[in-house]
């Protein structure tokens, strides 16, 4: 399947003891997950953050991956690479702006910078308060959150959390030129790296 032709993806997290796993699916044409297009693994407790995106759950072929530029990653960024190490792009969290509203910057060669922010400012603030409240900060956040990624005011893609308790996301891609591997990497980061 040519993933570059897809404009709707579904991303589901599968939690295990030592590894975070995600499955990315093409849309089936009726708004539900269809064929598996990527299988993602993030090792927990790694010295330097690294995530591998495989073409399937057998993990025989690497589609892409991303890794932190530095051990302490506050704003330093993540390089997204092909399976053979060629650069696809990069993304980074804007630490200063993320204190109020989580903000990400995505760069693809020749395309300029795409900026993603939480769509609802109220939910963004509430999420921060939730994390500081004693007794409940270990409970799942009871509201869904959504990110819109735009370049020069034009929508590029969005990542919408579909469920409250389980981490399932709907990804809609408006810009046909954005590399789908970069979109999948950023969508995983929205979930896996959000609290950092």
């Amino acid at each position: 399947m040519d993933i570059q032709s897809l404009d709707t993806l579904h991303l589901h997290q599968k939690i295990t003891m030592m590894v975070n796993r995600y499955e990315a699916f093409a849309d089936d044409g009726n708004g539900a997950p269809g064929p598996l297009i990527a299988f993602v693994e993030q090792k927990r407790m790694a010295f330097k953050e690294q995530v591998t995106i495989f073409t399937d759950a057998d993990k025989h072929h690497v589609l892409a991956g991303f890794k932190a530029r530095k051990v302490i990653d506050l704003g330093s960024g993540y390089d997204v690479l092909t399976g053979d190490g060629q650069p696809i792009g990069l993304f980074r969290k804007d630490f200063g702006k993320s204190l109020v509203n989580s903000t990400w910057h995505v760069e693809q060669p020749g395309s300029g910078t795409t900026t993603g922010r939480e769509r609802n400012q109220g939910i963004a603030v509430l999420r921060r308060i939730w994390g500081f409240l004693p007794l409940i900060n270990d409970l799942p956040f009871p509201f869904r959150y959504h990110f819109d990624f735009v370049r020069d005011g034009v929508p590029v893609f969005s990542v919408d959390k579909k469920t409250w308790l389980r981490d399932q996301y709907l990804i809609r891609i408006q810009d046909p030129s954005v590399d789908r591997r970069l979109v999948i990497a950023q969508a995983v980061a929205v979930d896996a790296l959000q609290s950092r």
Side-chain angles (χ1 to χ4, degrees):
M1 176 178 292
D2 175 22
I3 68 169
Q4 193 59 32
S5 66
L6 302 174
D7 59 10
T8 304
L9 306 174
H10 300 263
L11 182 71
H12 296 182
Q13 183 184 28
K14 298 177 72 173
I15 298 175
T16 64
M17 207 56 144
M18 294 304 292
V19 177
N20 275 345
R21 290 191 171 111
Y22 297 85
E23 294 174 320
F25 303 91
D27 190 79
D28 70 353
N30 296 307
L36 180 73
I37 60 163
F39 182 81
V40 184
E41 282 193 345
Q42 173 203 21
K43 290 184 180 177
R44 292 185 189 170
M45 311 294 279
F47 182 65
K48 192 172 181 182
E49 195 70 55
Q50 185 163 353
V51 174
T52 306
I53 304 169
F54 299 95
T55 56
D56 56 38
D58 293 333
K59 303 188 287 186
H60 292 303
H61 302 287
V62 175
L63 180 66
F66 63 87
K67 61 182 176 181
R69 289 182 167 182
K70 299 179 182 176
V71 175
I72 299 177
D73 61 3
L74 298 178
S76 69
Y78 297 81
D79 291 303
V80 182
L81 308 169
T82 64
D84 60 358
Q86 298 304 307
I88 296 171
L90 65 93
F91 61 84
R92 63 182 172 82
K93 192 168 187 180
D94 189 320
F95 184 72
K97 291 181 180 177
S98 292
L99 292 174
V100 177
N101 186 325
S102 293
T103 303
W104 294 86
H105 301 293
V106 183
E107 296 177 24
Q108 179 176 321
S111 295
T113 300
T114 298
T115 300
R117 291 186 182 88
E118 287 182 82
R119 186 176 305 150
N120 187 313
Q121 182 67 42
I123 296 293
V125 171
L126 186 58
R127 274 195 323 104
R128 282 142 183 82
I129 294 170
W130 184 267
F132 287 109
L133 295 176
L135 303 177
I136 67 166
N137 63 3
D138 288 333
L139 297 174
F141 184 67
F143 299 100
R144 293 175 287 179
Y145 54 91
H146 313 289
F147 283 81
D148 293 316
F149 289 81
V150 300
R151 185 187 321 112
D152 299 325
V154 178
V156 176
F157 67 96
S158 63
V159 179
D160 295 323
K161 188 168 184 182
K162 298 191 304 184
T163 56
W164 287 337
L165 296 177
R166 299 178 67 197
D167 291 335
Q168 296 183 356
Y169 298 88
L170 177 65
I171 303 163
R172 291 190 176 96
I173 302 164
Q174 294 87 8
D175 181 348
S177 70
V178 67
D179 194 307
R180 298 333 190 237
R181 298 167 296 181
L182 186 57
V183 171
I184 292 169
Q186 178 64 76
V188 168
V190 162
D191 183 80
L193 309 177
Q194 182 56 31
S195 62
R196 299 185 190 181

